[in-house]
Amino acid sequence: MKLDGKTIVISGAAGALGVVICKSLAERGARVVALDVVDDAEATERFWELPIKPYYFQCDISNEADTKKTLAQIAEKVGMPDVVCCHAGVVHVEKVQDYALEQFDELMNVNVRGAFVLAKAAVNQWLGAEHRGAQLIFTSSWVHDVPWPEITPYTASKAAMNALTRGFARELAASGIRANAIAPGIVGAGMALKTWNENAEYRARAEKAIPLGFLQPPESVADAVAFLSSDMSSYMTGSILTVDGGCSLYPNI
Ligand SMILES: NC(=O)c1ccc[n+]([C@@H]2O[C@H](COP(=O)([O-])OP(=O)(O)OC[C@H]3O[C@@H](n4cnc5c(N)ncnc54)[C@H](O)[C@@H]3O)[C@@H](O)[C@H]2O)c1
């Protein structure tokens, strides 16, 4: 899956999964542009191990002005993006009866509103430049339609993200813009690994929930992003690509 000549922007890029995706895309020849809310010093630290460093722009994707400005800078300094990955996301683990509304709002603000803001800004840039053949990739999750205790607002946010994927795909197909999503499982990195390590009850449940029997390697998510970013996916739009080791086959756990 060669990505030579493609400019790929990814939000939440300084996170556990984001760094692995940046590495994989760059190794396949893409020009990778990383966005995250963390400052430059923190980003440098997160990316220091990567053999090919991505371009980095600090950007809060829930802030429309900041996001539009950042995409304009990227077009000027790096080039018009071919793919924009709406990947940033947050999770809070809490029982529904105890879930603070501030946390609910914060989660929706990043996972749904932020994804919409970034996707909308990218679409406006592409339409303005009459740039056809571009693609949005959203990072959903296997829990988008499988209830999973203590993360109900997160599962709702991922269901909303799937709706965004299909909506953008439907509305923009005639303009030559595609939209697809990836639904990973329980990844051995980032938010899931943290909960796995800190919450014994979650771990016991998760261990039973993965049919393939082991935590998902983050590289498998990066492979899916690379596949969708490549010309091999050119007839796909509105798809939710499940890459979850079979987790979504066990909806009753
Ligand atoms: N780790 C998993 O098991 C798993 C499984 C399925 C889906 N996902 C999804 O993958 C994505 C990344 O997850 P992760 O595990 O790497 O999490 P992570 O917490 O390690 O990374 C998330 C990144 O998003 C950034 N971010 C937060 N708010 C932002 C904002 N407003 N603007 C820009 N960046 C912002 C954070 O700074 C962080 O670097 C999320 O969308 C998550 O829902 C993760």
Side-chain angles (χ1 to χ4, degrees):
M1 281 177 288
K2 283 300 207 185
L3 300 174
D4 294 318
K6 289 193 191 283
T7 300
I8 304 179
V9 173
I10 172 167
S11 67
L17 265 175
V19 172
V20 177
I21 295 170
C22 287
K23 177 170 184 280
S24 160
L25 297 177
E27 283 172 354
R28 292 178 157 105
R31 253 187 315 274
V32 180
V33 184
L35 310 184
D36 206 290
V37 275
V38 301
D39 63 21
D40 287 9
E42 177 72 28
T44 305
E45 213 168 282
R46 305 253 189 118
F47 294 123
W48 80 269
E49 269 189 3
L50 299 193
I52 309 169
K53 306 281 183 285
Y55 295 88
Y56 184 69
F57 292 83
Q58 184 177 11
C59 174
D60 176 355
I61 47 121
S62 66
N63 179 321
E64 187 166 34
D66 191 19
T67 304
K68 281 163 80 172
K69 189 185 78 191
T70 304
L71 283 186
Q73 286 172 341
I74 292 168
E76 188 192 320
K77 293 184 180 156
V78 186
M80 181 64 75
D82 300 292
V83 177
V84 170
C85 302
C86 302
H87 174 76
V90 296
V91 68
H92 299 295
V93 182
E94 192 58 85
K95 294 179 172 53
V96 279
Q97 62 270 33
D98 297 326
Y99 215 97
L101 285 183
E102 293 73 21
Q103 293 205 312
F104 182 95
D105 290 344
E106 186 195 329
L107 184 145
M108 291 296 172
N109 190 43
V110 178
N111 297 11
V112 183
R113 190 173 184 280
F116 183 77
V117 165
L118 178 58
K120 178 187 163 194
V123 164
N124 274 312
Q125 195 175 50
W126 288 325
L127 292 177
E130 295 183 19
H131 185 81
R132 294 181 69 88
Q135 187 189 181
L136 297 165
I137 300 176
F138 294 88
T139 303
S140 178
S141 165
W142 72 285
V143 296
H144 64 83
D145 65 353
V146 180
W148 183 256
E150 300 185 5
I151 56 167
T152 292
Y154 176 81
T155 67
S157 76
K158 295 303 185 182
M161 190 174 257
N162 289 2
L164 289 182
T165 304
R166 290 167 57 79
F168 273 83
R170 179 69 185 84
E171 273 193 60
L172 293 157
S175 305
I177 295 170
R178 295 182 298 117
N180 292 294
I182 292 163
I186 304 175
V187 185
M191 49 180 69
L193 185 62
K194 186 167 178 291
T195 317
W196 173 279
N197 287 333
E198 292 173 0
N199 182 331
E201 197 194 319
Y202 168 89
R203 182 172 178 151
R205 233 186 306 124
E207 276 174 345
K208 286 192 279 178
I210 309 173
L212 285 188
F214 54 94
L215 277 172
Q216 179 167 7
E219 291 75 13
S220 65
V221 181
D223 288 345
V225 177
F227 163 68
L228 285 181
S229 301
S230 78
D231 294 340
M232 293 175 79
S233 80
S234 58
Y235 203 65
M236 289 174 70
T237 195
S239 294
I240 314 297
L241 181 61
T242 302
V243 188
D244 70 350
C247 285
S248 49
L249 303 173
Y250 280 8
N252 294 322
I253 289 202

